[in-house]
Amino acid sequence: MKKTLKYILGLAALVFVAYNSVYFKKLDAVRASAHKQFDASAYARKYYDTRLKPALKNAVEINQLLALARVDKEAAFNRHSHALGIGNIRYFLVQGTGEITGINENDVAVISKNDSTQSALKIATEFVFGNAIRDASGLINLNEFSSTADFNNVSAEVNKIVRNEVLPAFKSTAKKGDRVHFVGAIELNRQHLKLDDLEIIPVALNLIKDK
Amino acid sequence: MKQFFFRAPSFLLLLMLTAAFGFGCKSKRSDGPKKMAVIVSTLNNPWFVFLAENAAAKAKELGYEAKIFDSQNNTALETDHFENALASGYSAVLFNPTDADGSVVNVLKAKEAGVPVFCMDREVNSDAATSQILSDSYSGCVAMGKYFVQQLNKKGNYVELLGLVGDNNTWQRSKGFHSLVDYYPELKMVAQQSADFDRNKGMEVLESILQAHPNIDAVFCGNDAMAMGAYQALVSAGKPNVKVFGFDGAEDAITGIGEGKIAATAMQFPKVMAETAAVYADEYLKGKREFPKKMPVAVELVTKENIKDYIAYGKKD
């Protein structure tokens, strides 16, 4: 009788341990919870509103940057560019004011002047993609993210904000001869620097009413 | 007591063997110059040969012995290489993984043994690696996607050839490309299939796709080897004017852009990645412990408009 009780207790303990050792979950639920870990859209919205927008006032004036790059490339890159890793591609957060000289399929042509120089630029209105806006401010660190895919999704979401909230109003009202204040990102190659045909990926665009 | 006497010699023998094995391992590690293992996913692709040789050359330049191990795109063989490298007293591993998930176990094994691992070009889905030096494939393919859309005037049928499905680069490239191209509804992807980053498979897979979809305007490939295979398939099918887009900056593709066979590639910098990994490993072995978990290396779009600035695997000085 004592032996039987021992066996029953032993079996019950075994069943208890076995039951608590194995868990079953639906694969869909596991996948869904993995995806829930990072909300790129919410991160991008917070980044755009609370970090990028306040940083726009620090953007370098485009003509000033280009003048410096022509005489001292290294100084221009060292003072004003950002990039997340190694390589020749670096991003600059720039601003300026210019007159619209053409409305094209993929961009708006602008002549921007300051006291000493003027530049012919293009403001992208079609291809607002890639990491230029995310990286030009130098405010986000890749190593804060556990996954490279999450990090890249932040770019896609920030670009979406610009495409949905900045471009429609500008494209519907901008016309040749208007003046525009722009803030945006440009990409330059440190080794093979080309300063003509520059394209600005916009972050903020404001038409200036009184000429 | 009887039992003790019976077991004591066995115990002593075991103790002696353990001690001998332990000292043996120690002597392997302390004798001669330190060694770095270069474990590479495959040497069946010239791009990875270039990566591995540059890693080994930089390690030697820094005063280490270096040996290249070819995993032949096989995680089991890669595991054998790690076991051999750890047992043979290598101090660091410069690693080009075969599979983002499947290779994690090898990195963990090295970490447990106190051997740092520095990933080159390909990522493992774990923070066990001391540092991962990776091409910014996503950004490279966003630039590629923009050029693709411009070249096709925003409409047409195209095929995508993916690389190894277990490699993160495959998906980073595909996602970067689609993050832009998918905004154009008149660009229709008629087929998407893996060709394992392999030239012959690239040719075979596209030949098969062309049977079902003969009217295509472009092929986007996750690397240059597949792009060259795809071009061969298109020439055989009498369609040499279909635009082919690759990724890597390999010698064939750079020549192909010059000859008008390939529309564009994205230049990676394997020498930069290999040398950075070797330098990081050297710094680690000299006592440094703070490294970026991930270090992206910029990728540059190469087209007929800027081909004069580039040579295979890099830039002209």
Side-chain angles (χ1 to χ4, degrees), chain A residues 2 21 46 57 61 71 73 77 99 107 164 181 197:
Chain A
K2 221 175 183 182
S21 302
K46 195 172 174 193
K57 62 179 185 299
E61 201 279 322
V71 295
K73 180 176 82 171
F77 274 85
E99 183 179 324
D107 56 65
N164 293 342
H181 180 256
D197 209 27

Side-chain angles (χ1 to χ4, degrees), chain A residues 126-180:
Chain A
E126 175 78 12
F127 297 110
V128 176
F129 296 95
N131 295 333
I133 296 176
R134 184 195 66 191
D135 297 350
S137 68
L139 295 170
I140 301 185
N141 179 3
L142 167 62
N143 291 298
E144 289 168 16
F145 294 78
S146 58
S147 149
T148 311
D150 290 345
F151 191 53
N152 290 329
N153 287 338
V154 170
S155 269
E157 293 297 330
V158 170
N159 293 333
K160 208 183 275 179
I161 292 171
V162 171
R163 285 199 304 274
N164 293 342
E165 297 175 20
V166 176
L167 289 180
F170 176 71
K171 281 168 85 173
S172 64
T173 51
K175 56 186 187 304
K176 201 173 166 181
D178 284 350
R179 285 179 63 75
V180 59

Side-chain angles (χ1 to χ4, degrees), chain B residues 251-308:
Chain B
E251 198 158 7
D252 284 353
I254 295 297
T255 309
I257 291 170
E259 293 172 350
K261 295 174 180 172
I262 302 291
T265 186
M267 179 62 73
Q268 298 193 85
F269 295 90
K271 192 174 182 195
V272 172
M273 287 188 274
E275 291 188 349
T276 306
V279 168
Y280 278 10
D282 176 50
E283 288 173 349
Y284 183 96
L285 296 172
K286 287 175 178 163
K288 185 177 170 182
R289 288 295 179 270
E290 292 297 316
F291 293 92
K293 277 288 170 193
K294 283 178 190 159
M295 176 55 78
V297 178
V299 170
E300 299 176 28
L301 184 70
V302 185
T303 67
K304 62 179 187 294
E305 286 85 16
N306 66 358
I307 184 80
K308 63 181 188 324

Side-chain angles (χ1 to χ4, degrees), chain A residues 105 126 131 163 189 199, chain B residues 139 146 154 183-184 315:
Chain A
E105 185 186 347
E126 175 78 12
N131 295 333
R163 285 199 304 274
N189 188 311
E199 186 180 66
Chain B
S139 299
K146 179 181 172 185
K154 302 178 184 174
Y183 278 89
Y184 297 88
K315 274 199 150 187

Side-chain angles (χ1 to χ4, degrees), chain B residues 17-295:
Chain B
L17 278 171
T18 311
F21 182 72
F23 289 134
C25 285
K26 206 171 184 181
S27 68
K28 269 182 188 171
R29 287 192 180 198
S30 56
D31 289 349
K34 283 188 173 178
K35 300 186 286 185
M36 286 190 195
V38 180
I39 301 178
V40 64
S41 60
T42 176
L43 291 178
N44 194 28
N45 177 332
W47 195 92
F48 291 105
V49 175
F50 188 84
L51 180 83
E53 285 178 348
N54 273 281
K58 189 67 185 178
K60 283 176 189 164
E61 187 190 313
L62 292 164
Y64 297 85
E65 272 183 23
K67 186 179 173 188
I68 298 171
F69 298 82
D70 177 9
S71 304
Q72 296 174 23
N73 280 331
N74 179 339
T75 43
L77 188 56
E78 184 182 274
T79 302
D80 290 346
H81 291 328
F82 264 82
E83 281 169 0
N84 288 339
L86 298 179
S88 307
Y90 281 85
S91 310
V93 179
L94 311 182
F95 184 36
N96 171 246
T98 298
D99 188 293
D101 290 314
S103 299
V104 170
V105 63
N106 296 325
V107 180
L108 287 168
K109 208 175 284 175
K111 193 180 179 186
E112 276 170 27
V115 174
V117 176
F118 299 85
C119 291
M120 306 179 287
D121 176 53
R122 287 184 177 176
E123 189 176 10
V124 287
N125 293 330
S126 162
D127 61 1
T130 307
S131 186
Q132 306 200 58
I133 301 110
L134 312 165
S135 279
D136 192 352
S137 292
Y138 181 91
S139 299
C141 280
V142 172
M144 178 67 74
K146 179 181 172 185
Y147 189 70
F148 183 92
V149 171
Q150 288 170 329
Q151 289 299 299
L152 271 77
N153 291 321
K154 302 178 184 174
K155 61 182 176 204
N157 295 331
Y158 73 93
V159 170
E160 180 182 5
L161 296 186
L162 296 163
L164 289 163
V165 292
D167 177 27
N168 282 7
N169 281 341
T170 295
W171 300 110
Q172 293 301 339
R173 290 172 196 177
S174 184
K175 278 181 187 171
F177 178 78
H178 286 286
S179 75
L180 192 150
V181 174
D182 288 0
Y183 278 89
Y184 297 88
E186 288 186 68
L187 279 170
K188 291 189 180 107
M189 184 170 70
V190 294
Q192 183 191 48
Q193 214 169 309
S194 168
D196 292 347
F197 288 135
D198 184 87
R199 183 175 181 142
N200 289 334
K201 279 189 189 168
M203 186 177 73
E204 288 162 15
V205 168
L206 191 64
E207 277 172 351
S208 153
I209 290 171
L210 284 170
Q211 304 287 321
H213 304 284
N215 297 319
I216 59 166
D217 303 291
V219 185
F220 168 61
C221 305
N223 79 343
D224 285 341
M226 293 190 295
M228 295 313 296
Y231 178 75
Q232 272 178 275
L234 290 164
V235 170
S236 301
K239 298 173 186 297
N241 295 326
V242 171
K243 292 182 168 65
V244 179
F245 299 78
F247 191 103
D248 272 349
E251 198 158 7
D252 284 353
I254 295 297
T255 309
I257 291 170
E259 293 172 350
K261 295 174 180 172
I262 302 291
T265 186
M267 179 62 73
Q268 298 193 85
F269 295 90
K271 192 174 182 195
V272 172
M273 287 188 274
E275 291 188 349
T276 306
V279 168
Y280 278 10
D282 176 50
E283 288 173 349
Y284 183 96
L285 296 172
K286 287 175 178 163
K288 185 177 170 182
R289 288 295 179 270
E290 292 297 316
F291 293 92
K293 277 288 170 193
K294 283 178 190 159
M295 176 55 78

Side-chain angles (χ1 to χ4, degrees), chain A residues 33-50:
Chain A
S33 69
H35 283 296
K36 269 181 200 166
Q37 283 171 3
F38 181 73
D39 184 345
S41 174
Y43 185 97
R45 169 52 66 190
K46 195 172 174 193
Y47 165 70
Y48 184 81
D49 289 339
T50 64

